[in-house]
Amino acid sequence: MTGKKQPMYIVMFRFVVKPGKEAQFLAAWPTTTQGIYLFKGSLGSRLHRNKNGEFIAYAQWPDEATWQAAASIEMSEDYEQSREDMRAALNLESTEILHEMEVEVDYLQRRPFAV
């Protein structure tokens, strides 16, 4: 359904990593994200670093209800440990949700456009 409104919910975060904890944060990110996908129903996420060196994440969810319900769902012990490792690397007081939004038009492509 490329180019049409999608039933998808997006959450953007700004992660503030404690000094000296960047490697810990980056090591825990993939496993934590995988656990959220497997146990909490996310559609995955992307972690970016902007020109100021800040970590900005873009997480996709099937809908807002799934995003809201995820907070009360526990993952397996290994994934929860990875999440705790990630959180321990963060300055949680400064980490924030930048945006919560619905997808209006989805035209991201994983392969070249067929024109």
Side-chain angles (χ1 to χ4, degrees):
M1 293 184 62
T2 308
K4 298 179 182 175
K5 188 169 181 156
Q6 299 291 309
M8 193 181 313
Y9 197 70
I10 305 303
V11 182
M12 291 183 74
F13 301 88
R14 182 173 66 94
F15 290 105
V16 179
V17 179
K18 293 175 184 173
K21 298 290 186 174
E22 185 175 298
Q24 179 179 328
F25 172 73
L26 291 172
W29 174 266
T31 304
T32 301
T33 299
Q34 183 180 51
I36 293 168
Y37 173 85
L38 292 171
F39 289 89
K40 297 177 180 260
S42 82
L43 300 174
S45 63
R46 289 186 171 121
L47 180 64
H48 306 268
R49 190 186 314 233
N50 69 17
K51 290 184 179 186
N52 296 327
E54 298 173 312
F55 290 102
I56 307 295
Y58 174 93
Q60 293 181 237
W61 296 85
D63 50 49
E64 184 177 3
T66 305
W67 153 249
Q68 296 295 334
S72 63
I73 298 170
E74 281 197 38
M75 300 182 288
S76 71
E77 188 176 327
D78 290 347
Y79 288 115
E80 287 292 346
Q81 182 59 58
S82 181
R83 183 172 182 254
E84 284 306 311
D85 292 346
M86 188 179 92
R87 290 174 58 85
L90 295 173
N91 178 336
L92 294 174
E93 295 78 28
S94 299
T95 294
E96 63 182 327
I97 294 173
L98 298 174
H99 302 285
E100 291 184 45
M101 52 198 164
E102 293 183 13
V103 172
E104 188 64 30
V105 177
D106 186 357
Y107 217 72
L108 282 176
Q109 300 291 311
R110 288 197 146 269
R111 52 186 127 5
F113 285 98
V115 193

